[in-house]
Amino acid sequence: MPGYVLDGAGRVELPRQPLAVTVTALDVPVTVRAITTDGVDAPSVLYPKPGFVVLPRVDSEVVVVATPGNDLGFPQGTVLQATVAVDSSHSLDPDRAELTPLDVSGLHHVELATIAPAGQRLAVAARKTAVDVPLTDLGARARSAARGALGVDRLPENRQVRVEVDVDTTMSMLPLIEDGSIRDVVDLLTGVAAVIGRREELHVNLIGRGATTLPIVELRTAATQVQTSLDSAGLGIGFRSAAVDRSHYTEPTLVFIVTDGVPADHTATVAGVRRRPIVLQSGEANGSLLGNPQELFQTVKSLVSGLTTAESEGAFA
């Protein structure tokens, strides 16, 4: 019988018969539910075992939802395999729709597909319409941590922000340039930007003798690009984050200030602009964060805290 592969927002039709939904992940417990568009359990649904749901009949649209079998979110690298098929008890070789394997790292809740009547058939549509941009290992882990901290794949549009990074390039930062600590922080922030940013991009300003804005093209290469620029940057004295004029900005902006000492002007307020200092010590970024997932999660959680609710402008608490 026919088998279909659903990618992105793909849609197929299956016979209007009882359906079985199977969702699995390697070495990770998965809970799967069928809910109405109002968010309540769909009527008459059977849950024989974890990761397996039977829908005896579908008279209105239902949404297939997967959650981790714990309260910690899906671990980094979790890929879900999902199949919607005519219940095999009614057919030896059932019609089925297989969703493209989906990376759900860091998520607490993911909508996989909708199932709805379509005349004498049932329409099955994939819900995942966006594909994650590729990131480095640290960037991908930071993206997962941000999703776990915020409980969403991406912030809703009305909470998304322009993400900027002000990098202190005064003389005292030379050890942090040479050991790659700044590069690693920028790498981490690419993952954060992929979750909270209005666009999947990062705006980086090197502030030393003056202010130089780097034309970042891809998140995946941002850290390497910043490091290359830092290696040839002329270092200044007296870091001031207000060197970049943001008084004309028309979109909400979050500025991460990468430095070895909080500048005196970091509390200066500009309407719509919020600042969060990241104070570094030499050699503390990539190695320890990649080797300690809990430390990485706590670091990212502190960077994105407050972004799901309204927050006063100016410096973060």
Side-chain angles (χ1 to χ4, degrees):
M1 301 296 283
Y4 309 92
V5 176
L6 291 181
D7 189 9
R11 177 183 182 277
V12 300
E13 292 185 0
L14 298 179
R16 194 159 185 170
Q17 298 178 19
L19 298 182
V21 181
T22 304
V23 182
T24 60
L26 185 64
D27 299 327
V28 177
V30 180
T31 299
V32 61
R33 296 170 56 213
I35 63 175
T36 68
T37 54
D38 295 328
V40 300
D41 286 320
S44 304
V45 176
L46 305 176
Y47 298 93
K49 58 182 179 180
F52 185 68
V53 172
V54 176
L55 291 79
R57 59 183 297 132
V58 177
D59 295 319
S60 60
E61 183 177 295
V62 298
V63 182
V64 177
V65 175
T67 56
N70 54 54
D71 296 325
L72 303 177
F74 288 111
Q76 170 65 27
T78 302
V79 176
L80 294 186
Q81 307 274 352
T83 301
V84 181
V86 173
D87 187 7
S88 59
S89 63
H90 293 75
S91 173
L92 295 178
D93 187 17
D95 287 17
R96 64 191 181 279
E98 296 182 3
L99 275 66
T100 300
L102 181 63
D103 188 331
V104 293
S105 303
L107 297 183
H108 288 74
H109 170 104
V110 58
E111 296 181 354
L112 297 173
T114 59
I115 304 172
Q120 299 304 308
R121 309 274 287 176
L122 291 174
V124 181
R127 295 280 280 187
K128 181 70 172 182
T129 58
V131 177
D132 284 339
V133 296
L135 298 174
T136 64
D137 190 14
L138 180 57
R141 290 173 183 266
R143 175 168 57 195
S144 298
R147 287 172 169 173
L150 295 169
V152 294
D153 187 359
R154 291 198 69 184
L155 279 184
E157 186 173 349
N158 66 340
R159 299 304 308 160
Q160 292 171 5
V161 297
R162 173 187 172 97
V163 181
E164 294 201 15
V165 184
D166 285 354
V167 179
D168 178 353
T169 57
T170 56
M171 291 297 297
S172 64
M173 294 290 285
L174 182 58
L176 296 162
I177 295 173
E178 292 180 337
D179 70 10
S181 294
I182 298 173
R183 177 199 61 217
D184 295 338
V185 169
V186 173
D187 208 358
L188 180 149
L189 290 175
T190 63
V192 173
V195 177
I196 70 173
R198 288 198 160 187
R199 292 162 293 277
E200 290 178 323
E201 62 186 18
L202 200 64
H203 303 269
V204 180
N205 307 297
L206 306 185
I207 304 175
R209 292 179 180 176
T212 302
T213 300
L214 302 182
I216 301 297
V217 178
E218 295 183 44
L219 286 178
R220 182 179 178 85
T221 61
T224 299
Q225 185 176 343
V226 168
Q227 184 64 45
T228 299
S229 298
L230 288 171
D231 289 339
S232 59
L235 304 182
I237 58 174
F239 174 59
R240 292 291 182 269
S241 60
V244 177
D245 180 13
R246 299 185 173 93
S247 61
H248 61 286
Y249 282 15
T250 59
E251 59 184 345
T253 300
L254 173 57
V255 182
F256 294 106
I257 304 170
V258 183
T259 181
D260 59 349
V262 178
D265 65 346
H266 87 280
T267 58
T269 60
V270 177
V273 177
R274 294 172 285 181
R275 307 173 192 264
R276 177 152 289 167
I278 301 175
V279 181
L280 294 180
Q281 295 179 358
S282 182
E284 68 178 2
N286 191 22
S288 63
L289 290 174
L290 278 176
N292 189 333
Q294 188 58 34
E295 180 183 350
L296 174 61
F297 177 79
Q298 292 301 328
T299 297
V300 172
K301 182 179 179 180
S302 70
L303 296 177
V304 301
S305 64
L307 290 181
T308 55
T309 58
E311 189 169 344
S312 61
E313 307 300 344
F316 282 101

